[in-house]
Every structure is written in structure tokens, then in C-alpha cells.
Amino acid sequence: MLKLYDLTIEYKHNPLGLDEVQPRFSWKLDSDKQDTVQTSYRLQVMQSGAVVWDSGAVESEQSILNEYLGPNLTPRTGYTWTVTVWDNHGESADAESCFETGLLDGGAFEGKAKWITSAFDKDSTVSPVLYKEFTVSGPVEKARLYATALGMYEAEINGEPADDTYFHPGWTNYRKRLQYQTYAVTLHSGKNRVALTLANGWYKGMLGFMPEPNHYGDTTAALAALCITYADGREEWIGTDESWLCTTGAVQFSEIYDGETQDFTAAPAAPQPVKLFEYSFDTLVGQENEPVRCLQKLPVVKEFTTPKGEKVYDFGQNLTGWVEVEIYGEPGQKLTLRHAESLDENGNFYTENLSWAKATDTYILSGGRQILHPHFTWHGFRYLCVEGLQYGQNVQFTACHLSTDLQQTGSFSCSDKRVNRLQQNIQWSQRDNFVDIPTDCPQRSERLGWTGDVTAFCPTAAFNENIMPFMTKWLRDLASELGPDVSMPQVVPNILGNQQDGAAFWGDVVTVLPWTLYRAYGDKRILQHSYDSMKHWVEFVESQCGENGLWQTGFQYGDWLGLDAEANALGDERKGATDDYFTANVCFAWSLQILADTAAVLQYTEDAHRWSRRREELVRAFRAEYVTPTGRLVSETQTALILALHFDMVPDEYRPRLLAALEKNIGAHKTHLLTGFIGTPFACLTLSENGKHDLAGKLLLQEDNPGWLYEVKMGATTIWERWNSIQPDGSFNPANMNSLNHYSYGSIGNWLYTKLCGLEILEPGYKRFALRPQFIKGITHAELEYESVYGKIAIAWRCEGGKITVDVTVPANTTAALTLPESDETLTLGSGSYHYEYATETSLEIDHYTMETPLHVIMEHPVARAIFAQYAPEFLENPMLEYVKNEPVTALLAYGDSIKPLFEQVLAAMNQADKE
């Protein structure tokens, strides 16, 4: 039987306030038959029972993003839509959903509402409350509030929040774009009150490394229009204007970085008329991404007193949000809450990595039972330090996790609990930093939309959550920031001023992100809307190239936070040793390829040829500059080798030599990476793609510093900014830039999903996809599920007890190419569920003795000594062994690998002897 489910319009379920004039409809098919494919569909859009548009029967497999092609939609109107689908088995199904349009044009506020501001001193820290009392004169059919602000605002109707969302109107490039929100509100007969509480927010508040105010303006203001539709058909508008009044409430101070002060003993200011404020309606757009909500609440897991005597509560998880306090207090009692990500090595409350952020909430209580939380700030924290409690006082603290409310689409787990914790850390850091925009960190005085972090992480992000509307909004802000004097901002929205010099990898987000979104969601519109921005960036880089065709000028971040910084010629400890312009030109080649591919998708044939030719020219110039005639790289750092291999920057005949050099380099560093932001996302991918998947697995499972599981071993519950953010003794990296909640190195998630479980896109939107799981020693089973735009994809593999089992789920209307482990055959699968089971001699248990075993352990084993005595007695007599006895074999082989086969024989014999 065929069924339809998950009906969406512009990726949203039953959206309210839709501001898209040509929306697109999507649905998913569910069938109990295998190999189900949609053969045709019919869409109908209705308003008040009348058909507005009927697509007719359309012969097409397309079940995602089918465009509305009817008459112009009417603003502020509710519509229902139905879809009927026919499949290749002769079955049909239909389903219905609904949506309501917003204003469709921000200019619609004009004539209905005016910009207003408070009559108080604009330098006052107290949050003004702008309000209007009005009378409802009859039965109400529906009521909608349309609102926005310069600053942050919260809307209330009759003393209750308009909804359960926060931090409106969101952060955009306020100079060009300002979102408004649509609320479905409930009114009662007689007197009602609508109120807007304002705070500085991103618009007026303190932002930046050295926090400064007024990046967009020095005055908070509001604009709102309440539309009441009566049961008899009348409409009444209550808009912000001179008749509104202003007063104050409990919020006495609120800044994003510093926290919030609420005084419930403070008398409200005497009401007085608001002031009109001059501001345009031209920049207004409807809410584009999902709002910020409290996604979950976490209880205290431990309460204790630190060696310094601090009263501290541990929520067990580093998170973004605030603490809700339920307390029975005394009138005038002052309660102070400070937030931190960690304790120091002595067990004391640690805030030194917060830079200038105070991260402190203060409450002056009214007495009796109160439930408290901030309104216009949030914190990155695991630990709460509380001052002002009375002995034995009845109080409860609950951590509220705040994030943009994105649908979780991906899950991954395996036999190794440490790796499962790593996956959780990746997902937590993603949610913690997706607060209206994709930030670098949620705790210190920064929290900016750094472009390089998104470049590194976006494939992983697109697996874990449906990021399409979220990133679409952000890309629109990015495009709005571009201009003749701005090549590409390094943060979006941009508060760092004009940035004439672009930086590789950071600037490349403008090509990488739209292409990643297109591949993940099959959405060609994102490429159309991003194409001019893509060209802007590529043409800027082209303008910076010299006569040799290479980009070798200007500032670069390089391999940011790479651990081989000691070799960096400039001595900047934040930049790895890889040549800045080496990485810049690899990234340029990457963007050129994406732009050529994008042009081809959009059928811009001439452009596609142009960018392809330019990439070919760049690669030739790159090889002349950075590759020797014998196939060596000018700089053979781990990152340089990874990038050259991953992005095909070297001739094929040189790849084996460079791969061997990479393996040798990693071995010399005891199977650890030294890579930074640019090298790390591609490290394990490159190894797996070039026949060194086992080495990629060893890097994943490395527990020593640096490594992903080192962080897990040290108790991390999110991804760190630096490999060495916390030292083995529990002390902190002395650098002032040391977030414990950064998602860039979480890019390893992409390898877990695409290589370990083998899920790779063959056709955009996973219309066709590959499943090619690859085993590694130490993981005996793994599984993932991914809710694609067509439905659930799942794979679970297990290799234990001499048997391999593989279970696969393929959603309707898609096709999978399955390559079973230890098989060269690729199976083409239509929709359905499949089970495979077969014998194997493979064991994925990690041997006791490996190439990572210290030399002295091997040399103390009688089996090893016997083999060396027989085949290489001179090795045992080498006096230099004393100096390398504590090194792993991999480090020893970095000096020469001629003895590697003998070590392999020795290790195999040692492992066999221990089993007997």
C-alpha cells in the first residue's frame, strides 16, 4: 500500500508567515512494495475551498521542491494544498497540508504601523516595555501579530509570551535585511494588552573580540502590527504609533556576552508616550529560518563546593542556553549565577577562557516562589557558580538548552563507546553553535559567524540536521555583505568592518556551502541564488593572482591552529607550518571546480568551460611552483600532502610517493595528526580514498594527545577549538583563544558517515546514493540512519564471530548502489529493506601488538628477540636503540622503512604466540 508523509513547503511543516512568493512543495512516499518509484503527481492549492492552482497530472519522479506555478499568492492568507501520487505498481495515495502567507512585502507595514522607540534615555541599561491597551469588540476568528525590532524583542499578549521562541528578530545584516516574525495570538473579549520588551541584542549591544556597542545603531526601536479578523469578516489593525506607551519591567540590564540583571523589587517607570523613530520598511523580510527554542532541559547531576569555597552545580554537559531557577526567596534577596565550561586542574570554577564575557545573571527577588530565566542573553556552560543562597533554601536549577530548532536528520553509533561519545560531542557542538547563525563558539566575547568554520563543517552538519533554511538565511546575509570594497567577509553578519583582503578557505565558504547544500538536498535554487556571490569571490581571487597565475599576495589564515606551528616562518603559534599560499591556491582550485560544476548544473555552458579551463591553468601553475620534477612537494607537511592528494593537485604518477610521505609523516609523529582547520577535514578522507583506510582508523581511535578520543578521554562533552585545549594534567592551554565548544574538528563526522558506514551521494538529494562500508580494526559494528529529503536511509554492518551481516534500508523513489564488505560487486537496489549474511575470516579485534607499540615492549618479548636474532642480529646490537626504545615502531620507520616487513613478521608472531 502506498502512503504519503512528511509534507513540507520550503522545508517547513504547516508554516505560518511564509514570505516566499513561489514556494516549493515536497513529500515522501512509503510503500510496502520494493522498488517503488513515483511515476506522476498532481498538486492542488486551495483557499477557502476554492481551487487556486491545479498542476494537473504531471509525469515525473520529482517528489521534492516542486514549484508553485499558480496566480500570485495573497498576503496574510491561509491555504491548504493536496498532493496525489501514482507509483510504478499502479497504486495511488494522497495527502493534505496547509500554510499561511506572511505580508509577502515588508512595505505592507506602512500605513498600518510606525517605528517607535522609548522616551527614556537611550543610554539607559533598563529594557523598555512598549505597550498598547485595546478593546476587542466582538468574536475573533483569528489574530496575527507581525513584529520586528532594532535590537532584540519579546512580544507578549495579556502578560503571556506570544510563543515559545527567543532572540527575535534574529541576527541579519541589519543594514540590508531585517526579519519580522508572525505570531498566531489569542485575544479575549474586552480589554487586551500587547507589549514588546526591547534589549540591545546584536543591533546595539556589545560585540566583538574587544566588545564595542552600536555596530548597527545606537537606539532600540520596534515595529508591530496586530491584525484582528472578526467572525463577521471585519479586520482591525493595532499598529505601533504615537498612542503606545512605554514603561519598564524587571530587566535592568542585558547584554549577550555579559548576561542579564532582573530586579523584581524595582518599581516600573511611570508610563509615558513613546517616540516615533525614523527607519525604513524597505529592508523587511519574513522570518526565513527556524526560530530559537529550548530544545531540552537538563537537571543538575552533581552539587559541590570547590577548594576555593565556591558553590557549584554540574549539569554534566557543556551546552548553550541559560539556567532556569525555581526558588522560594526573600524580598530583596540577591542571587548571582556565573557560568563556565570547565573546572581548572585544581577543581575550581574556571572562566579565564571567556575573554571579556562576564556570563553572569543576577536576580533581585520579590519574595515567595519565583521561576526565573534570562530573556535576551545566553551562555556556553556546563558549570554554574551560585552566590547569594541562604542556608537550606528551597531552590532548583535546570539547564535549558537553546538552539535553532532544526530537525535532527542523522544518527550514527558503533561498537566503540568512545566514538559514540565523539558523535554526541559533534552533535552537541553543532546545536550549541547554531543559535540563529552558525557561530564559532557560544561562551566568550566572540560568538561570530566565522566562515572558515562553516567551510570545514558543513558536510557533517548537513548529515546531522536539516540545515537548509538555516544556511539559506545565512547565505543571503553573506551575499548582502559583498561589494566593490568587500571581497568576502570573514564573519557573517559582518561586524569587523570592510575586509578588502579575502582569506582562502574562509572565503571559499561561498562556493563550498551552496554546493554542499545542493548535493545534500537536491535544491538547485540555492545555486541560482548563490551564483553571483560565487563569481564575486572567484573573480576577486583571480584579480589577486600574479603573472604566474597563482594567488601569492595578502593575508591568509593558513592551516589555522595546526600543531606544526613551530616550523612556521612567521612564528605565529596559531598558524600551522604549511605555506599560506600553497593552501590558498589549493582552495582556489577547489572553488573553481565548484563554480564550473555549478555553472554546468545551471546550464551556463560558457561559464562552465571558462572556470574549468582556469582550474586547469591553475593546476599547471601550481605544479610548476610547488611540485619538484621528481614529485616532491616544496613543503611536505601533513596538511600540504593531504590537500595535494585530496584535490588532485599533483600528477597521478606522483601520488604513491606523496601518499608514502604522508604515511611516514604520520608515523613519525606516533600516529597523530598535526593538521589545523584546513587539513583536518580532509585527513582521514584522503587516507581512505587512497588505500590507507586502516591508518585513518588508527587516527580516529588514537587516545593520546592530539586526537579526537583524547578529548573524550579527558571528559569532553563537546568538540574543542584546539587539539590541546586541555593538557593531560588538566591544565588549560595558556592561549586566550581556547573554546571548549567549537565544531570545526567535528568534521571527522563526515568520515564516519561516508567511509566507515559508506553513505555517499551519487545524485543530489540522495536520489541515488552509494553504500560502501569499510571496516577498521577496533570497531566490530556500526550503523547510521539518515532522514533524506526522500525518506530514511539506513545501513548497519557487523563483523563478529566469523560472520558479516549487513542490513540496508532504501527509501521509496531512490536507488542505492551497495558494495558489500569484502566484495568487488556493486548491487543496484530499489526501495525496500535488505539483509545480507556471509562468512568471513576477518577479525576486527585490535591486536595486542601493533606498529604503535613502543619498541622496548617488542624487544623484551622472547619471540621478537628470536626472530631478530635469526634474521637481523645486527639490529639487536645497534647502540642507537637505547635512544628510541620508548618510541613506537611507526616513529622508528620514519627514519627508514626497509625493516618494515621484518617488523610485520615479528608483530604477527608475537600476537600469535600470545593467543596460543
Side-chain angles (χ1 to χ4, degrees), residues 727 746 814 898:
Q727 307 295 345
T814 70
S898 60

Side-chain angles (χ1 to χ4, degrees), residues 760-770 790 813-817:
E760 299 195 54
I761 303 167
L762 299 180
E763 187 175 316
Y766 295 86
K767 176 69 171 168
R768 287 196 313 116
F769 57 92
Y790 289 98
N813 218 22
T814 70
T815 306

Side-chain angles (χ1 to χ4, degrees), residues 385-413:
C385 181
V386 180
E387 300 170 8
L389 283 178
Q390 298 174 359
Y391 181 78
Q393 190 164 22
N394 190 346
V395 63
Q396 179 175 311
F397 298 105
T398 304
C400 300
H401 177 216
L402 299 178
S403 179
T404 298
D405 191 7
L406 306 182
Q407 175 197 2
Q408 182 173 328
T409 50
S411 64
F412 164 88
S413 63

Side-chain angles (χ1 to χ4, degrees), residues 109-124:
F109 274 103
E110 195 163 7
K112 298 181 176 66
K114 301 175 182 179
W115 282 100
I116 60 173
T117 186
S118 79
F120 309 129
D121 185 341
K122 67 182 180 183
D123 293 326
S124 170

